[in-house]
Amino acid sequence: VATIVGGGILSIPLAFEKCGLVLATILMILSLVTTDFSLYILCSVSRRTGAGSYLEACRVAYGQGLELSVTILLFVFLLFVICAYFVLIRDIWTPIVLLIVQPILHTERSSDKEEVFGDAVLLLIIILISPFLLKKDLHALRYNCYLGFGSISVLCLAMAYRAYQKVGSGEVNVRLWPESLTDVLFAYPIPVLAFMCHFNVIGVHASLVNPTRKRVRMVIDGSMALSGVLTYSFGLFGYMWGGSDTAGNILLSYDFSDRVILIGRVGCGITIMLASAMITLPCRESLLALGPFFEELKDAKTTELGKNLASSSSNPGYGAVGNAGDEEGALGDTYTGTNKSAESEDY
C-alpha cells in the first residue's frame, strides 16, 4: 500500500480528465484486477522456487541474462522515481515552510531566495528521513504504511469536501467519454501503472508471519482493494474540482491560500516522504546486485583467457616459441632449414 500510494496518485485526476469518467473507471478496474493477479503469481513463484526477491525470481524463471537486464532497468526506473519524489517533496514543503517562517523572519519573498530556501528545505528533509532510507528490509518500514496512508487520506478528505461544495453550487463540469484518441494515449499509462508495486511484493511476502496461500491472498486482495478505493476517490474528487482545467499535479488546481487543502498538502508531503523510503530500498538493492554480475563477468573472461593460453601452449607448432636455446625444428616444420633466430623474431 505504501508503494502504491505515493507521488503518482497526484496525476490520477488528469487521467479522468483526459479519458472521461467512464473509460477512466474501466481502465482503473482493469489495472486493479490484472495487478492483483500478477502479484499473486509472483508470490507463487517465490513459494515454489524459494526466491527471496523480485530479481531472484527473474533469475530462477529465465536465467541470469534476464536478471541482469531487469536489474539495470529497475535501477534506472526507480532512480528517476526517486528524483521525481524529491522534486515533489521540495515543491510541497517549501511554500508550507515559508508560510510558517516568513512572518518570523520578516523577509520579503523573491524567486531567488525561494530557490535557495527550497534547496535547503529539501536537504533538511532528506536528513530527517535518512534513517528510513537506510533500512535494510521492508519489515523495518512496515509502520510507514499506516502513517502514509492516513496522511494521504487527509488530502483525499479535503478534496472530497471541496468537490461536495462544487456539486452543491452546480458548477461541476465532467465528461463521460474522451474527446480524442490522442488524449487517451496520453493518459493511458497513468491508470494502467497506478497500482505498480511488483518489485516489493516478494519482500513483503517474505516478511509475513505464517504466509499460507489463503493469508497471502487475503493480504494482496485487501491491499489492492484499499489502494483502489483511495486512488479512485482521489482521481474522482480531483476531477470534479478541476474539470477541464485539471492539472498534472492536482495540488496546482487548488489555491495555496485554501486552508482546507493546506492541511491535505501537509498530509501528502508526509506520504511522499515516507514513500520515498519504499522506493529507495529496491533501488539500492538493484545497484548493489550489479556488483556480483560484473565480478562474475570479469572472472569468466579471466578463465576463458587462461584456457586460450593453455591451449596455445599445448599446440606443438607453437610450444617452443621464445626458447632461444632450441635446436632446428624448435619453431615447427614451417621454419626448418632457415635462419631460426631471424624467423623466431619475426614470429
Side-chain angles (χ1 to χ4, degrees), residues 152-169:
I152 199 67
S153 297
V154 172
L155 177 57
C156 188
L157 290 174
M159 292 169 58
Y161 177 70
R162 289 305 184 206
Y164 172 76
Q165 287 183 326
K166 201 159 189 177
V167 169
S169 63

Side-chain angles (χ1 to χ4, degrees), residues 18-19 22 27 29 36 41-42 49 58 76-77 82 100 123 140 161 179-180 204 215 220 301 315 328 345:
K18 295 294 184 181
C19 297
V22 175
L27 290 177
I29 294 174
D36 181 272
I41 291 297
L42 282 173
T49 63
C58 292
V76 174
F77 168 71
I82 292 172
I100 300 172
L123 178 60
Y161 177 70
E179 289 186 344
S180 66
V204 172
R215 288 166 61 87
I220 294 176
K301 287 186 176 181
N315 192 320
E328 184 177 343
E345 291 177 359

